[in-house]
Amino acid sequence: MSQRTDTVKRTIAEVVAERKTQMSPGATFVEAFAKDGFDTSVDYDVTITDSLTSSRRKPRYPSRNMLKVVDLSRDPQDYYWHESPPRPDDPAVDGADLRREAANHFHRSPIPPLLTTTAWVQVPDTLWEDPVSFAQFIDYRLVVRLATAENHTILRGDGGLLTMPDLGRLTDPGPFASTILAACNEVEQMGSTADGLIINPADYYRLLGSGSLMRDVEDNGVFIVRTRLVDPGTAIVGDFGHGALLFDAGRSTIGFAEPPPGTFAEPGVALRAEIWERVVVNLPTCFFVVTL
């Protein structure tokens, strides 16, 4: 592979000037590439999925936007608090018949090890000779791929919300027309508020097209995330604002690397991006995985 071109040398100043007030991940990488070529590896002191912006008239939010983020690089801590439901052999607790959460147990636990979230892209041949397009490719393709991988970490990966056994499961809508509404009620019966819903786009549009449920839920202040990472027929409802945390290392890396076999359909120049994070649930009794 060739090193940086004269074109990169001449125009990198233009890219930097356009973004000098707040360098995007792509612009920062392109600036480093002008000096180091294909040996470039950039460490960021932020989690770059937070930089994800969009000009869409209809926003589509990643799962991290649902959670309270704790940046461990700026607010270091070793422990977190959480609750667990009562055990069958617990003594009676005054008022628990009306205030279910009064019977919960309180805990202090070490923050579990952060998980590595990785995304890969192949750089189209010679794109690196156009610094503006190269920066845009990183900002709007690599970072988007990383956000998708982050959804997997938060939802389906080891330690993700869908793998947590303490979250409630709800299949019966009871007196309500929907398990989503039944779960919202259950969260409020625990003294909290269901402020978030994570749902597959197929179910979102099915429900949107067959009645007013999705509009009613959004109008009632529930923040909705649509993602393929939740299986069709399943959704997560809970008190995301008070009942869960995303512990975040507050750093990221982007660099050229050799991808594992099977990553791409053909050989080519590859970029890897990585972040480190872990979701925990403080109030598992205020979350439900529902069957729609």
Side-chain angles (χ1 to χ4, degrees), residues 195-247:
D195 62 359
L197 167 66
I198 305 178
I199 191 170
N200 189 286
D203 293 313
Y204 176 87
Y205 289 110
R206 175 177 60 82
L207 294 169
L208 190 67
S210 61
S212 63
L213 177 62
M214 288 295 96
R215 297 184 187 90
D216 291 344
V217 168
E218 288 188 288
D219 289 346
N220 198 42
V222 177
F223 188 86
I224 297 179
V225 165
R226 307 186 308 276
T227 174
R228 303 162 292 172
L229 276 299
V230 172
D231 290 335
T234 299
I236 304 172
V237 177
D239 186 344
F240 289 86
H242 286 178
L245 297 170
L246 183 65
F247 287 113

Side-chain angles (χ1 to χ4, degrees), residues 150-185:
E150 182 178 50
N151 274 349
H152 187 277
T153 296
I154 291 171
L155 298 173
R156 302 182 73 98
D158 293 339
L161 291 173
L162 289 169
T163 70
M164 293 183 179
D166 292 339
L167 268 58
R169 264 59 182 175
L170 192 60
T171 60
D172 184 359
F176 304 96
S178 162
T179 46
I180 291 174
L181 298 182
C184 289
N185 170 65

Side-chain angles (χ1 to χ4, degrees), residues 109-178:
S109 295
I111 296 172
L114 301 188
L115 302 169
T116 302
T117 296
T118 304
W120 292 89
V121 291
Q122 268 187 330
V123 185
D125 190 35
T126 71
L127 183 69
W128 48 83
E129 296 180 2
D130 178 351
V132 174
S133 295
F134 192 20
Q136 291 174 345
F137 180 72
I138 292 170
D139 289 335
Y140 294 102
R141 200 62 196 131
L142 179 57
V143 177
V144 169
R145 285 280 184 96
L146 188 61
T148 300
E150 182 178 50
N151 274 349
H152 187 277
T153 296
I154 291 171
L155 298 173
R156 302 182 73 98
D158 293 339
L161 291 173
L162 289 169
T163 70
M164 293 183 179
D166 292 339
L167 268 58
R169 264 59 182 175
L170 192 60
T171 60
D172 184 359
F176 304 96
S178 162

